[in-house]
Amino acid sequence: MTDSTEYPSFGSTCDACGRPDMSNMTWDDGVKHFFSTILSAPRMWPLGFILDSPYSPLRLEQDVPALNWRDAFEDLLALEAGRPMIPEENRKAEDLFAAGNRFKMASWGISAINYLMQDREKLQAMFQEAHRAALKHKDKRKAESISENQLGSLKSDQERHAAHAQHFKAEYEEQTNSTASSLKPRGQWIASLMNSGALPAWNWMVHNSIKGPVLTFHRNDAPPGLENDGITISEFEILQHFEAGRPFSFESPIPLPIRETRAVIDGNAILPHIPVPNDPYEKFRPNQNSVMVQFARSEPVELPDGSIGSKTVITNRLANETIETKEFMQQPARLLEEVENARKSMEVVRENVRVISEDYSGESPLKKKRSEWLPEVKAQLLEWQEQD
């Protein structure tokens, strides 16, 4: 997590930005105090409260999960901003899209696992044939090797895939009656507060990293001297903070791809290139239509009935340098779909990088097993068949 504000030198205290004096503290205590002070500063409301308060809706939902703390808090923020509470039809539209998306993801996950299971069954049949042939030709060593290594590993794979399928099914059933807001990752939910108009003073941006999405929350009403006011934090950091009790720290996930990543804010590049010597990702180039950065800003608009609504402008920067700009006027379901599509695009890039990493460090376990096992077993089977 990083704070984008420029602070004075160590050992001083700035009333304007709220930076604490940490000269008499240990490093760990100083870091904790630093972030506690930053997050509690008035200019960080309500992000600091959401991320760091024991009364945050993200904390309360862990203690009392039966209540919808997120939606209630969003309504309070909207009222504080002089807006009406979020219309019920908006929430229902999001819920309907989320329900369809959950079913689609669960179906895709189970279908992918079924494909893998069928693939393993074919391999298992071949290795069982090889095992029988080894016994027939009294090659006890080869029979034991096939039984312990290939067949044993495939059985472990099948058990793991079956467990994953059960997980997909159980997760889908558990989330059947869940609201769209409760299913959003915590960082994505914070960003959605800005889209709905509950936080009119904030904009957000998301880019990809090895550990997942990284969000920048930026105030659009910062006074002179604090134009870069805001924070950058990853979904992974937020998850670790709430689920593992890990305090925020000065960690910065490596962006993907590792080359100059440009954020679409008035066409300016604000995320510098981070060189990593001998890194396998340097040559990686994602699909040309992959979303590299997504930026959103919202503004109030007067609706036909005289009430105040919210217009959100989403800007996507693609891998081929194309800039997409889309406007959403009181269209929560379409807006959620746009955000979800960008996150899925980034997830595909992360998966491709994971494969590159495995190939760079050796091969993935599955590839290694196939490359080592199949030619050897096929050759042995052919030899035995010729002998028969």
Side-chain angles (χ1 to χ4, degrees), residues 265-325:
I265 300 180
D266 298 329
N268 296 322
I270 65 171
L271 296 176
H273 172 69
I274 302 178
V276 180
N278 302 319
D279 197 286
Y281 311 139
E282 280 287 354
K283 296 180 180 180
F284 172 71
R285 291 296 181 270
N287 181 286
Q288 291 298 291
N289 293 322
S290 299
V291 178
M292 295 290 97
V293 179
Q294 186 173 69
F295 174 71
R297 59 180 176 83
S298 296
E299 58 188 52
V301 292
E302 185 175 350
L303 302 178
D305 62 1
S307 62
I308 301 298
S310 180
K311 180 180 77 172
T312 300
V313 179
I314 293 283
T315 305
N316 297 322
R317 177 184 178 272
L318 308 184
N320 61 6
E321 305 292 333
T322 299
I323 303 298
E324 293 181 341
T325 301

Side-chain angles (χ1 to χ4, degrees), residues 125-197:
M126 187 191 71
F127 287 127
Q128 286 174 338
E129 182 184 356
H131 183 259
R132 289 192 295 268
L135 292 175
K136 179 180 178 180
H137 289 82
K138 302 185 185 305
D139 191 336
K140 183 178 179 181
R141 183 187 63 81
K142 176 62 70 174
E144 289 178 349
S145 175
I146 293 173
S147 179
E148 293 177 5
N149 297 322
Q150 287 89 341
L151 289 175
S153 180
L154 284 171
K155 181 181 178 182
S156 177
D157 279 353
Q158 289 173 318
E159 290 174 349
R160 186 174 66 255
H161 293 324
H164 285 167
Q166 288 298 320
H167 170 75
F168 273 114
K169 181 181 177 182
E171 186 177 56
Y172 173 73
E173 292 174 348
E174 180 183 349
Q175 296 176 349
T176 298
N177 297 318
S178 299
T179 62
S181 62
S182 68
L183 296 175
K184 295 173 184 175
R186 294 174 178 89
Q188 182 182 345
W189 173 71
I190 295 173
S192 72
L193 298 177
M194 303 168 193
N195 298 339
S196 70

